Amino acid sequence: MDKQQNYFIVNRSLLQSSRWLSEPFTRGQAWVDLFGLAQHSDSFIRIRGIRVDIKRGQLGYSQLTFASRWGWSRDKVRRYLEELEKHQDIIQQKNSITTLITVVKYSEWQLDNTTNDTT
């Protein structure tokens, strides 16, 4: 089976739309949100003026940010991220600035150069 037959494309603008953000997230929606928010190429963000380098497949979001975004308590976010980490779906790197989350299989589950590979 061709690898591309297992994919569908979603524009990242959906992740900022009222349709996506209007209600508390399901666990599945939170998982898709992690993929959608992960960097598709190496980049950086600034948090309180401090540069934080972010690699492809990583996110730099706090549990508090996810709680607000997903409509969950901070404890529920913490438990969910710990569960994903236990199942080796993510790796969390916590520091005083933010939590870097690496989606372990990001490159395996995402197409490279989607616009070039899809008609």
Side-chain angles (χ1 to χ4, degrees):
M1 179 188 308
D2 183 343
K3 186 177 178 182
Q4 282 187 316
Q5 291 177 342
N6 293 324
Y7 293 86
F8 67 97
I9 297 171
V10 176
N11 190 301
R12 290 177 191 270
S13 65
L14 169 71
L15 303 178
Q16 304 308 323
S17 74
S18 60
R19 285 184 177 176
W20 187 253
L21 298 171
S22 64
E23 300 174 18
F25 279 27
T26 64
R27 294 165 55 82
Q29 189 176 0
W31 179 235
V32 171
D33 203 49
L34 287 172
F35 268 91
L37 295 173
Q39 287 297 123
H40 62 277
S41 61
D42 292 358
S43 187
F44 69 92
I45 58 173
R46 291 203 181 272
I47 298 176
R48 297 185 303 278
I50 301 168
R51 180 184 167 129
V52 178
D53 291 320
I54 302 183
K55 304 265 185 221
R56 174 179 163 82
Q58 289 185 324
L59 305 89
Y61 287 81
S62 69
Q63 291 176 3
L64 198 57
T65 300
F66 283 129
S68 174
R69 181 175 175 82
W70 296 346
W72 294 1
S73 71
R74 189 171 180 185
D75 281 341
K76 183 175 180 177
V77 170
R78 180 187 48 76
R79 288 189 306 270
Y80 181 67
L81 295 176
E82 286 173 355
E83 178 184 329
L84 292 176
E85 192 168 40
K86 178 182 173 186
H87 288 44
Q88 299 178 340
D89 292 322
I90 67 169
I91 297 168
Q92 296 185 79
Q93 298 168 276
K94 301 173 185 178
N95 61 40
S96 62
I97 303 165
T98 191
T99 300
L100 271 183
I101 297 172
T102 302
V103 179
V104 174
K105 294 185 178 180
Y106 184 85
S107 289
E108 181 180 330
W109 291 358
Q110 297 296 300
L111 292 175
D112 290 326
N113 302 319
T114 302
T115 54
N116 296 329
D117 295 339
T118 308
T119 56

